[in-house]
Amino acid sequence: MDINLELYRVFYYVATSLSFSEAARQLFVSQSAVSQSVKMLEKKLNQTLFVRSTKKVVLTPAGETLLQHVKPAMQMLSEGEELLSSQTALMGQLRIGASDTICRYFLIDYLKRFHRDYPDVRIKITNSTSIGCVDLLENGQVDFIVCNSPNSRLNPHTPEKTVREFQDVFMANRSAFPIEGAVELEELLKYPILMLSPRSTTSEYLHHIFAAQGLRLLPEVELNSNDLLMDLARIGLGIACVPDYMCREQNELVQVRLKKPLPKRRLVIVRSGTQPLSQAAERFLEYF
């Protein structure tokens, strides 16, 4: 007997809910469409499946018999769909290279969302400076990197995507350094400057900016952590140069205004120009 499976599906929803309106709601169709499907099935089977009244719907003996066979069939179909869905769920590993600052102040929200959406994917983050991250990418240790640009180690032909612009700012403890008004870069050199170590894009960038104005930048402290630079600035050891996106709530510190703000830099996602991305990496990059 050639009967459309959809008719049995409609019958199943009516028989298990004993309500034409509830079946229509669950199937996202009109109640009249449900009623027509049941009538068509009854006609093809030459059996009355339901006793209908204004108050309730009751299965006939023929309907009871049919439900005993349709119910396990529908359950098996549902289990099959769930099994296929679980087999196609995203798994594998996501490998990212990024600095601690970029991870903490930029990537963390994206990682939280990705982990919520794809809990079966293992996330591996390798921490390094933006310059060191290029080595990770070239050695195949990560799927992609998120780093500062400009970056002297980046090949100009390597695919990259800008995900954020930012500006480097100088943060100071006002009681330790009561600087009033906007200042020139030359005036900043009167104060102890706290900045990242020489093997960083920030150090390269700042030395280039100062040198372009004929100034020699001699920092008082050079460290590998922007957070530690901020801590030292809080206790008045100097003026820290850090990216603006990590300075949202810094009650103890104020930004030293420059008469000519530093040019903006970029956060970029860089992937290998030769190696294909994993499915997990492709899905993560869709967030951007």
Side-chain angles (χ1 to χ4, degrees), residues 11 49 59-72:
F11 164 78
L49 302 174
L59 282 163
T60 65
E64 291 279 7
T65 300
L66 183 61
L67 180 60
Q68 291 176 14
H69 293 80
V70 170
K71 186 174 182 179

Side-chain angles (χ1 to χ4, degrees), residues 238-267:
I239 299 176
C241 184
V242 294
D244 58 3
Y245 58 79
M246 64 175 293
C247 302
R248 295 168 189 162
E249 295 181 6
Q250 299 294 336
N251 296 330
E252 309 98 322
L253 300 175
V254 295
Q255 180 178 336
V256 178
R257 292 188 297 114
L258 299 178
K259 288 185 177 179
K260 185 177 180 181
L262 298 179
K264 290 185 177 181
R265 290 196 288 162
R266 297 177 296 135
L267 288 184

Side-chain angles (χ1 to χ4, degrees), residues 8-283:
Y8 286 117
R9 182 167 176 262
V10 173
F11 164 78
Y12 171 75
Y13 276 88
V14 176
T16 53
S17 66
L18 294 178
S19 168
F20 281 76
S21 59
E22 177 60 20
R25 188 188 68 80
Q26 294 180 19
L27 292 166
F28 298 98
V29 297
S30 66
Q31 187 170 332
S32 62
V34 171
S35 181
Q36 289 298 320
S37 294
V38 170
K39 287 180 181 178
M40 188 178 298
L41 181 61
E42 289 178 323
K43 182 177 180 181
K44 287 180 176 289
L45 294 173
N46 195 29
Q47 295 282 348
T48 299
L49 302 174
F50 297 99
V51 176
R52 304 161 175 84
S53 70
T54 56
K55 293 184 178 180
K56 61 180 180 178
V57 176
V58 180
L59 282 163
T60 65
E64 291 279 7
T65 300
L66 183 61
L67 180 60
Q68 291 176 14
H69 293 80
V70 170
K71 186 174 182 179
M74 295 300 297
Q75 290 174 339
M76 288 182 66
L77 285 172
S78 178
E79 291 172 1
E81 291 174 348
E82 291 178 4
L83 179 60
L84 288 175
S85 177
S86 66
Q87 289 177 344
T88 57
L90 189 64
M91 301 180 71
Q93 187 178 47
L94 173 65
R95 304 177 304 158
I96 305 174
S99 71
D100 56 352
T101 301
I102 292 174
C103 283
R104 180 176 181 183
Y105 295 98
F106 177 71
L107 280 179
I108 192 71
D109 289 337
Y110 293 98
L111 292 169
K112 178 182 178 181
R113 176 183 167 194
F114 184 82
H115 181 60
R116 180 197 65 208
D117 293 345
Y118 306 104
D120 293 326
V121 174
R122 291 181 293 119
I123 300 175
K124 179 182 178 181
I125 302 173
T126 304
N127 182 254
S128 185
T129 65
S130 287
I131 289 177
C133 281
V134 180
D135 295 329
L136 296 174
L137 185 65
E138 292 180 348
N139 294 333
Q141 295 174 257
V142 294
D143 297 312
F144 59 87
I145 62 176
V146 184
C147 66
N148 296 327
S149 181
N151 186 329
S152 62
R153 285 284 288 113
L154 275 179
N155 185 322
H157 303 294
T158 303
E160 67 176 50
K161 175 183 177 66
T162 299
V163 290
R164 178 173 188 148
E165 285 191 334
F166 70 95
Q167 202 162 41
D168 296 276
V169 294
F170 292 90
M171 303 296 292
N173 182 317
R174 177 174 289 172
S175 60
F177 303 99
I179 303 173
E180 298 295 336
V183 299
E184 300 281 1
L185 281 183
E186 186 175 7
E187 296 178 61
L188 272 181
L189 295 180
K190 300 175 183 177
Y191 305 97
I193 301 298
L194 316 176
M195 55 183 276
L196 290 180
S197 62
R199 186 170 163 73
S200 68
T201 55
T202 299
S203 179
E204 289 182 343
Y205 170 76
L206 290 176
H207 279 285
H208 173 76
I209 292 295
F210 277 79
Q213 296 192 27
L215 304 173
R216 188 181 180 191
L217 177 58
L218 295 172
E220 186 79 12
V221 173
E222 293 176 294
L223 299 173
N224 292 320
S225 167
N226 276 313
D227 285 307
L228 188 51
L229 292 177
M230 295 283 273
D231 289 338
L232 296 183
R234 287 189 189 95
I235 63 175
L237 289 191
I239 299 176
C241 184
V242 294
D244 58 3
Y245 58 79
M246 64 175 293
C247 302
R248 295 168 189 162
E249 295 181 6
Q250 299 294 336
N251 296 330
E252 309 98 322
L253 300 175
V254 295
Q255 180 178 336
V256 178
R257 292 188 297 114
L258 299 178
K259 288 185 177 179
K260 185 177 180 181
L262 298 179
K264 290 185 177 181
R265 290 196 288 162
R266 297 177 296 135
L267 288 184
V268 296
I269 292 178
V270 187
R271 51 181 291 182
S272 171
T274 57
Q275 298 297 322
L277 285 176
S278 66
Q279 186 181 6
E282 290 276 14
R283 196 67 56 83

